[in-house]
Structure formats: C-alpha cells, structure tokens
Amino acid sequence: MNITSRNFLTTAALAAFTAGTMYSCKPKNTSAAVSGDAAAKVYVAPGKYDEFYNFVSGGFNGQMMVYGIPSGRLLRIIPVFSQHPENGYGFSEETKPMLNTSHGFVPWDDLHHIALSTTNGEHDGRWVFANGNNSPRIARVDMKTFRTEEIIEIPNSAGNHSSPFITENTEYTIAGTRFSVPIQGNPDVPINTYKENFKGTVSFVKVDSITGRMNIAFQILTPGVNFDLSRAGKGKSHDWFFFSCYNSEKANTLLEVNASAKDKDFIMAVNWKKAEQYAKEGKGKKVPAQYAHNVYNDKTHTATSTIEKDVLLLDPKDCPDMIYFIPCPKSPHGTDVDPTGEYIVGSGKLAALIPVFSFTKMQQAIANKTFDGTYDGFPVLKYEAVLHGEVQKPGLGPLHTEFDNEGNAYTSMFVSSEIVKWNVKDVKVLDRVPTYYSIGHLSVMGGPTRKPYGKYMVAYNKITKDRYLPTGPELAQSAQLYDISGDKMKMILDFPTVGEPHYAEAIPADKISKNSVKIYKIEENEHPYATKGEAQTKVERKGNQVHVYMTAIRSHLTPDNIEGIKLGDEVYFHVTNLEQDWDVPHGFAIKHANNAEILIMPGETQTLKYIADRVGVIPYYCTDFCSALHQEMQGYMRVSPAGSNVPLTFSTGTNLPAPQTSTSVSKK
Ligand code: RUQ
Ligand code: CUA
C-alpha cells in the first residue's frame, strides 16, 4: 500500500469513527431484514423459560444485565460498580464497602466486558467476571445468587479495558491497562515525556478454584502502549495470553491521528505459564501499591474492604522468552482465539483485511528466531511467518470475532454496520448481514469457549436512530438476535438494552437455573445485628448512635413505634427479613433518608442509616408489595429535640411504650 492510499483509508475511516455517521455504508432498507418465521423462532410462551441466560455488560451504567435468549426478555439487573437504589446496593451499610477503592467510595464505573468462568474451556456455571474500565477494577458475580461477591482494584493501571478475560480453567482473570502512565518512581512528569516515562502493565489475577476469591498474583511491566482487548489461548495454546495493543507510536496527544500513523501495531503474546514460573522463582519485585479488595460474605450479609499494600511486579528484562510481539495491521481492537486454540484473529479497526495467525507457526517462528527486529527490546515475530491467512475485503471497521461449532468465524464491522461470516480454515467470506446500526461486540452462544453452542448470535449496536419510538435526544442502544443455524444468518429479533452493552456471554439455562439460591436460611444468618425472631427486636443507644434491631414479616415491621430518638442521632435500621419463602423480599424506606431503600431477601439482614435532622414523627414502610396488607406494613419514629428527656422506647401492637429494659434505656 502506498502512502497516499493508506492515508486515504485512514482519513476516511477516521472520519466515520469520529462522526459515527458514514451512512453511505449503512444498510438502508430496515424493514425487509426480517423473514416470515422470525416471530416463531423467538417466541417463548408466557410461563415458559428461555434456552439461554445472556449476561450483558451495561457500559456506562456500570451494571450487568441478564436477558433470556431467544426472547430478549430482561430478567435481572445485577448491580456491580454502580449504586442501585432499586435494592440498596451501595446504599446499605453492608454493601457500601463493595464500592470502596484506594480513592475512597467510587459509586460508578464503565463496565465493558463479561467473562463466564470455564473449566477445560467450557462454561461451568459458577462465576461471571466483569471489568471496571475507569477506576481499574475486576468484579466477580456469583451465578447462584446473581450478586456481586467480590471486587478487586487493579493498581499500576489506568483504564482497565483489556479485562477480565480468563484462562481456560479460570486460573486467572486478567487486566491490561488501556492507558499507559508513569508507573513507579515519580509520577509528576511532563506529559510530553511519554516515550521515556510512560509504561503499561498487564495483571494476572489468580482465582481460587474452590471459592473464586481473587488475588493479584503478579503484574508484568510492558512498553507504553494502549492495551485494548485480550483472549487466552486454548488447548495447544493454553499457556499463552494474547493482548491487542494500539498506539505503538506512543503518542500522547491527538491519538486519532498520531496513534494511526503506523501500518501495523501489535498483538502481544505472553506465555503466562512462564510468567507464573518466574514469579515463583522470585524474579519479580514486591512494589508498594494501594488497592482495595472488597468481599461480600453470604453468611454475615456484609461486605468488608481491605486495602492491600503491595503487588508483585515482573520486569520482562529479568524474564526471557516470556513476551513476543506479533505485528497486526492498524490499531487492533479485538483479538480472539478460535475454539481449537490454533487460530488467533486480530481485528484492526482501520484495516482493510482481517489477519488470522497460526499458533503452530508462531511456535516455529519463536524456535527459529524468525524475527523482524524488536519493539522496546522485545522480539517482533515476522508477520508472514506467523500468518495463517488474511480475510480479504471483509467490510469496514472490524472490531470483534466470535466462533461457532462448525469452524466459522463471525466478525463485527463497525463502519459498514454488518456481521461477516467466514471460514476459519480457508479464510473465505461466506455470508454477511446488516446490523442496525454500527455494531460493537457480538456474541455467539458459547462463542469464546472450546465448544460453542452456536444456534444464536447477538449483535450489540452503538446507534439505534430510527429503530424504536423516539424518546427525546437520548435513545436506547440495541441488541439484535440472529439465527445462525443455517448457512445464511437471519435476523429474528431486535430489542433495546439497558445502558450501553459492550461484550456479553450466554450460557445454557440449565447450567445455572438448577443451582439458583431461593432463600437465605435464617439459622445461618451470622450478621452481627441479625434479629432471628420478633421477641428479640430491640432498640439500643450507644452515644449518638441508635441501633434498631428490626424484623419484617407479612405484614408488619417490628418495632413499628419508636420514641426517644434525639435530633442529630445516627439511626441504624438493621432489618431482618424473617420470611423463608422464595420471592418474598421486604423493603424498607424512611422519609427523607439521604440514601435509598433497602430490599431485604428472605433470611437476610440489611441496614439503612438515617440521620435524625429534624424534630417530628417520621414514617417508615415496606417498599415491596409483599401481601394484601402491604400498605399496612409501616411504622413511626419520633424524633425529639436534642436535650429532651423522652425515653428510648419501642413497641409493636401494644399501643404503649414498651417497658424500659436495661438495654433500651437511654444512658446519658
Ligand atoms: S469494546 S465495541 Cu470491548 Cu470496550 Cu469493542
Ligand atoms: Cu413487606 Cu410490603
């Protein structure tokens, strides 16, 4: 390619990216895209279940959504990195620590990618990992409870985009920094000293095979590029991890031009088995770092946050034969490994073709030292020597590739708004379908595993424009479902999503549904403020803190009359839901509380904090319509002036203040 034509492609593609309005490439006739039997294929009759759970990232809403496939019905929003007033996540005293970081409480993040845990490269139905892109974090959701159980912050990282992809047996979940920054040493350097002072890292977070507990095993210091995405090897490539990187130019300004100057960037191949061994042999260095590690305990129903103080850093200079760079055309976004583990696909956002690399050839090139110079001291493998083939004229703006169970690949094309199906072996294009519009990620059922289920594929689109009824300037993003069981891909459903979906993964329903937790056993509740029966309800004062040990059961809160609260008191309502029946949560809200409600599951205890900032009688009530007498499920708290001598009392049903006991007497 000569300079002029290369520049032309770059400029045109860039214009389309920045403006997002390259309509000449967009499919025009949207109504003709759905065939006659589409409705029957996605119809899940009322009362019937979907075939797949689909875990979808929420992007800038910071949450994870669960949809049923093929119906497209939204089943659940799982709060992960953002506070969720609907159930009190991040508002209750128990869940606030989940959002703690080394920078304090951070109630939001940008969640891009999902990784379902696997054993031998196949879904095992245990955990869902998710990345926090902005304040670098990885979260783990338990598939038994659909709750976020753990969040670990990633130090020495600035934008955790290349994450939380996992190795075949979920040995590790990884985190590659999107932004390179000054790491270690003095961080206060001029920005234009990028080339000398900025570095990247990729982190390997160990996942305990029994409990799922995460711990940063080691970080690897890398050249100051931008890491975009990554995938672990499979089968024969099991020991390797592949990271796409752009900005190998190391630009620190106007990246849309300056990070697109070179013809090729890289896929960085890391032999993580070697890295693991080097770490074990003491090749790494413990460096000071501050990061939060937050864990939710299902027995105490409470999260704790611990600030960790150091991390093991591997400098590749001390670790030979661990990292190789594979040249990859034009700012690769996705790098994806096929089910056999032999083929590695690089999707260069600005490239006019899709390169497919061979793991076998890569191993030969390493053995024979078929190098094409070095990058920052790392051997660069010769492009032609590791290339299996190139998909010619696939479309414009390739982003991500997924695989089916029949040797086919599906690549999303952002600029030309389409999905292109091609054969992995002979790299021939087989079919293409439009998406509406500007697809980002796509998800084939089981696509990243060793045994994809195929059958359906979902496109996650960035722009909806005319797809749904207008809703003012802000429109929903869209997902589109395709039937991929035949030779031709067929669109069968179009549904709006919550937030901006990036990656998603689907898993057959029965791998999860049979293990779903229905209640928390009240006798196993180890919450320090649990109240396991109405007889144990009480109100205790400790200085200006008042602890209300409250219970909820259809259809009353105990106690429902509380007096003796003083202006300025901090009142903690520890509400235990005494129900032991599936799907009977109770909610708790108190007028003017400066947070949200709490929604308490059967057998669980949750705490809402209330600052008594006004004198008066303050109502509280159950927020979840739990019974015919739900509207009666309410109570009053009396707040008196600071110096008042109204005694601390509580009652339910007696219409009298309860007799004062030693524990409930106000001590002055
Ligand atoms: S991204 S649309 Cu995964 Cu953040 Cu590709
Ligand atoms: Cu409990 Cu409504």
Side-chain angles (χ1 to χ4, degrees):
M1 210 182 242
N2 66 37
I3 294 285
T4 337
S5 70
R6 192 177 79 217
N7 281 351
F8 170 74
L9 171 69
T10 306
T11 321
L14 276 174
F17 261 72
T18 36
T21 51
M22 197 162 154
Y23 287 112
S24 55
C25 281
K26 292 226 171 92
K28 288 212 175 71
N29 190 350
T30 67
S31 55
V34 178
S35 61
D37 59 345
K41 285 183 174 157
V42 301
Y43 186 66
V44 178
K48 291 275 182 285
Y49 293 161
D50 277 287
E51 275 176 78
F52 291 92
Y53 285 99
N54 191 26
F55 292 86
V56 183
S57 62
F60 43 64
N61 91 343
Q63 316 292 45
M64 190 187 289
M65 266 54 63
V66 187
Y67 293 87
I69 296 289
S71 73
R73 299 184 294 199
L74 176 64
L75 304 176
R76 180 100 238 121
I77 296 176
I78 304 173
V80 180
F81 295 115
S82 296
Q83 284 178 299
H84 196 54
E86 181 180 320
N87 65 3
Y89 179 84
F91 290 97
S92 72
E93 294 308 295
E94 289 80 1
T95 54
K96 278 180 190 168
M98 289 304 285
L99 301 178
N100 190 39
T101 73
S102 62
H103 291 253
F105 186 73
V106 177
W108 171 86
D109 216 308
D110 186 13
L111 190 163
H112 281 217
H113 305 121
I114 300 289
L116 303 191
S117 61
T118 55
T119 302
N120 288 325
E122 291 181 56
H123 287 152
D124 57 22
R126 303 210 284 167
W127 309 301
V128 190
F129 298 89
N131 69 320
N133 192 28
N134 184 53
S135 300
R137 287 178 276 182
I138 294 179
R140 181 174 55 84
V141 170
D142 193 307
M143 285 197 227
K144 290 201 291 298
T145 56
F146 283 55
R147 283 192 168 181
T148 305
E149 296 239 299
E150 190 178 7
I151 293 181
I152 192 163
E153 194 180 351
I154 311 292
N156 295 320
S157 172
N160 184 33
H161 193 263
S162 184
S163 182
F165 304 99
I166 53 165
T167 52
E168 270 189 299
N169 295 304
T170 321
E171 294 98 335
Y172 293 98
T173 173
I174 58 92
T177 183
R178 169 175 168 196
F179 302 99
S180 280
V181 286
I183 284 171
Q184 302 297 305
N186 178 15
D188 180 20
V189 298
I191 298 167
N192 66 11
T193 63
Y194 188 110
K195 290 193 172 70
E196 303 92 83
N197 289 323
F198 287 40
K199 287 280 185 195
T201 56
V202 295
S203 308
F204 284 74
V205 180
K206 186 87 193 141
V207 180
D208 185 276
S209 61
I210 309 288
T211 62
R213 279 289 185 100
M214 300 185 285
N215 271 300
I216 301 176
F218 53 88
Q219 302 192 299
I220 302 174
L221 202 62
T222 72
V225 295
N226 291 39
F227 290 105
D228 211 346
L229 284 142
S230 49
R231 282 292 187 189
K234 303 183 178 90
K236 60 173 86 167
S237 54
H238 173 82
D239 296 357
W240 293 77
F241 225 108
F242 303 93
F243 296 85
S244 59
C245 33
Y246 62 105
N247 195 21
S248 56
E249 294 85 351
K250 298 189 183 166
N252 58 283
T253 180
L254 201 62
L255 263 67
E256 66 168 332
V257 175
N258 295 331
S260 309
K262 287 211 238 159
D263 236 3
K264 292 201 173 65
D265 292 277
F266 298 110
I267 290 173
M268 182 176 85
V270 176
N271 187 327
W272 61 263
K273 274 280 179 189
K274 279 228 163 111
E276 198 175 50
Q277 188 191 321
Y278 286 133
K280 231 178 252 155
E281 288 167 1
K283 292 275 159 60
K285 210 169 74 197
K286 274 248 152 91
V287 298
Q290 286 235 323
Y291 56 102
H293 188 181
N294 312 330
V295 180
Y296 190 81
N297 180 319
D298 256 356
K299 292 274 184 284
T300 60
H301 304 291
T302 303
T304 47
S305 178
T306 313
I307 299 291
E308 311 272 1
K309 291 280 175 356
D310 55 36
V311 70
L312 188 69
L313 193 63
L314 288 180
D315 188 335
K317 277 198 214 77
D318 311 322
C319 307
D321 196 30
M322 180 173 75
I323 293 181
Y324 295 89
F325 281 77
I326 304 171
C328 187
K330 305 246 65 143
S331 306
H333 188 56
T335 174
D336 295 286
V337 179
D338 89 314
T340 68
E342 168 64 10
Y343 301 108
I344 303 127
V345 180
S347 302
K349 302 189 289 275
L350 307 177
L353 51 82
I354 304 171
V356 183
F357 302 102
S358 151
F359 180 73
T360 309
K361 288 186 174 179
M362 178 187 132
Q363 292 308 99
Q364 284 160 2
I366 291 172
N368 302 334
K369 299 203 164 24
T370 319
F371 298 152
D372 198 357
T374 57
Y375 180 75
D376 266 25
F378 294 95
V380 175
L381 302 173
K382 205 169 167 40
Y383 179 75
E384 293 75 15
V386 290
L387 189 71
H388 160 67
E390 292 173 335
V391 184
Q392 297 295 334
K393 298 224 175 89
L396 289 179
L399 290 185
H400 299 280
T401 301
E402 290 258 301
F403 305 90
D404 68 12
N405 42 337
E406 281 160 10
N408 302 308
Y410 301 78
T411 303
S412 57
M413 299 286 168
F414 177 84
V415 178
S416 52
S417 268
E418 59 186 336
I419 297 173
V420 174
K421 175 181 177 181
W422 49 277
N423 182 279
V424 178
K425 279 255 163 63
D426 67 16
V427 295
K428 291 256 159 34
V429 171
L430 299 171
D431 190 24
R432 52 180 75 233
V433 277
T435 60
Y436 305 95
Y437 305 92
S438 301
I439 178 175
H441 277 274
L442 76 176
S443 165
V444 172
M445 307 297 104
T449 69
R450 281 181 82 168
K451 290 198 184 138
Y453 320 112
K455 193 163 178 182
Y456 304 110
M457 170 177 71
V458 191
Y460 296 96
N461 305 314
K462 303 300 185 190
I463 296 167
T464 28
K465 292 278 184 202
D466 53 10
R467 297 303 288 176
Y468 311 118
L469 285 172
T471 52
E474 192 181 355
L475 302 170
Q477 265 79 15
S478 82
Q480 276 151 357
L481 182 72
Y482 296 83
D483 173 359
I484 57 166
S485 57
D487 288 345
K488 295 273 164 208
M489 299 174 276
K490 283 190 200 142
M491 187 197 289
I492 49 176
L493 186 68
D494 182 330
F495 57 97
T497 59
V498 180
E500 185 199 8
H502 289 254
Y503 191 47
E505 261 201 76
I507 177 168
D510 59 5
K511 290 205 179 193
I512 297 187
S513 56
K514 57 176 191 281
N515 301 324
S516 208
V517 165
K518 293 195 165 71
I519 58 160
Y520 296 102
K521 292 202 185 107
I522 189 87
E523 64 271 20
E524 290 175 4
N525 183 329
E526 292 169 16
H527 192 293
Y529 291 96
T531 312
K532 299 193 181 178
E534 285 179 9
Q536 287 139 43
T537 56
K538 58 185 173 181
V539 181
E540 282 184 352
R541 172 179 291 280
K542 286 184 184 142
N544 74 333
Q545 289 191 351
V546 177
H547 294 273
V548 181
Y549 294 69
M550 184 179 278
T551 58
I553 194 161
R554 282 163 289 181
S555 299
H556 54 277
L557 295 159
T558 309
D560 69 0
N561 282 209
I562 302 170
E563 301 200 355
I565 307 298
K566 311 271 169 66
L567 194 67
D569 280 349
E570 280 176 15
V571 187
Y572 294 86
F573 293 92
H574 309 287
V575 187
T576 301
N577 180 347
L578 295 177
E579 309 279 355
Q580 290 287 273
D581 232 356
W582 192 23
D583 199 22
V584 193
H586 292 287
F588 179 83
I590 178 159
K591 189 189 172 199
H592 283 150
N594 294 108
N595 46 18
E597 66 153 355
I598 47 176
L599 194 65
I600 313 117
M601 297 304 126
E604 187 186 38
T605 304
Q606 290 287 291
T607 302
L608 194 78
K609 180 179 171 181
Y610 177 86
I611 310 270
D613 64 350
R614 252 172 249 193
V615 169
V617 173
I618 323 284
Y620 52 84
Y621 69 103
C622 167
T623 48
D624 190 311
F625 208 107
C626 50
S627 67
L629 296 173
H630 153 82
Q631 283 297 82
E632 283 70 15
M633 204 167 168
Q634 63 165 48
Y636 290 109
M637 179 178 78
R638 176 181 167 196
V639 178
S640 304
S644 102
N645 53 11
V646 177
L648 190 66
T649 57
F650 59 93
S651 64
T652 307
T654 64
N655 208 21
L656 288 170
Q660 291 176 26
T661 68
S662 56
T663 52
S664 64
V665 171
S666 145
K667 289 194 185 106
K668 278 215 160 173

